[in-house]
Amino acid sequence: MTGNKTQMSDTDVAGFLDRVVPAAKRNDAQVLDTLFRRVTGYQPRMWGTSIIGYGTYHYVYDSGREGDFLATGFSPRKAALSIYIMPGYADFTEILGRLGKHKIGKSCLYVNKLADIDTDVLAELIGAGLANLNARWPVTPT
């Protein structure tokens, strides 16, 4: 069985953030880094070439597939800020209803810019997602 394609790396997070373009997205990414550090209490680590993760967890699916992945995090993608709320199974409809302009995927929240959302609500969502994940699979600090 193959492992996750996206792995934790030793790439410097601050250096990565300094290279995000355009400047407005870099600014939003730096604000998100501060927010994630505050909410999680974890230090950021790079996953792959463009995801900043906070905490890790080891999962084992019913199929037998298992691995390690980031507990929560984000990526300043070209199209939008991708915010990862793992594992994506809980119903956070009430919190999302107060968040502001966003789109959602299974474990991903897409935001064009932080000015479109309430970052206090985002902090609440990150905390709720982390608590939900930790109840399913224990989270290890990074």
Side-chain angles (χ1 to χ4, degrees):
M1 210 172 272
T2 61
N4 285 329
K5 192 167 66 171
T6 304
Q7 297 288 323
M8 188 174 3
S9 76
D10 290 327
T11 303
D12 179 56
V13 172
F16 169 76
L17 289 172
D18 287 343
R19 293 186 300 277
V20 172
V21 290
K25 188 153 301 222
R26 179 172 50 250
N27 232 15
D28 280 355
Q30 290 168 334
V31 169
L32 280 175
D33 178 45
T34 300
L35 178 76
F36 272 90
R37 287 176 191 243
R38 180 177 56 81
V39 172
T40 66
Y42 304 150
Q43 292 300 306
R45 294 290 306 270
M46 291 299 300
W47 286 77
T49 59
S50 63
I51 299 173
I52 302 170
Y54 304 81
T56 64
Y57 71 100
H58 183 79
Y59 61 86
V60 180
Y61 295 142
D62 291 340
S63 66
R65 178 182 167 97
E66 65 180 289
D68 298 299
F69 206 58
L70 62 113
T72 191
F74 73 95
S75 180
R77 307 264 186 213
K78 184 177 181 179
L81 298 165
S82 298
I83 300 167
Y84 302 98
I85 307 297
M86 304 299 188
Y89 302 130
D91 180 5
F92 297 121
T93 304
E94 190 276 327
I95 299 173
L96 290 168
R98 296 183 282 116
L99 182 63
K101 187 177 175 184
H102 68 279
K103 294 179 183 176
I104 57 171
K106 184 175 178 180
S107 295
C108 225
L109 173 72
Y110 303 101
V111 175
N112 289 332
K113 57 187 180 291
L114 289 184
D116 290 341
I117 63 168
D118 183 328
T119 55
D120 289 336
V121 175
L122 177 59
E124 180 183 347
L125 179 62
I126 293 165
L130 201 55
N132 176 260
L133 174 63
N134 194 52
R136 182 178 299 270
W137 292 299
V139 173
T140 304
T142 48

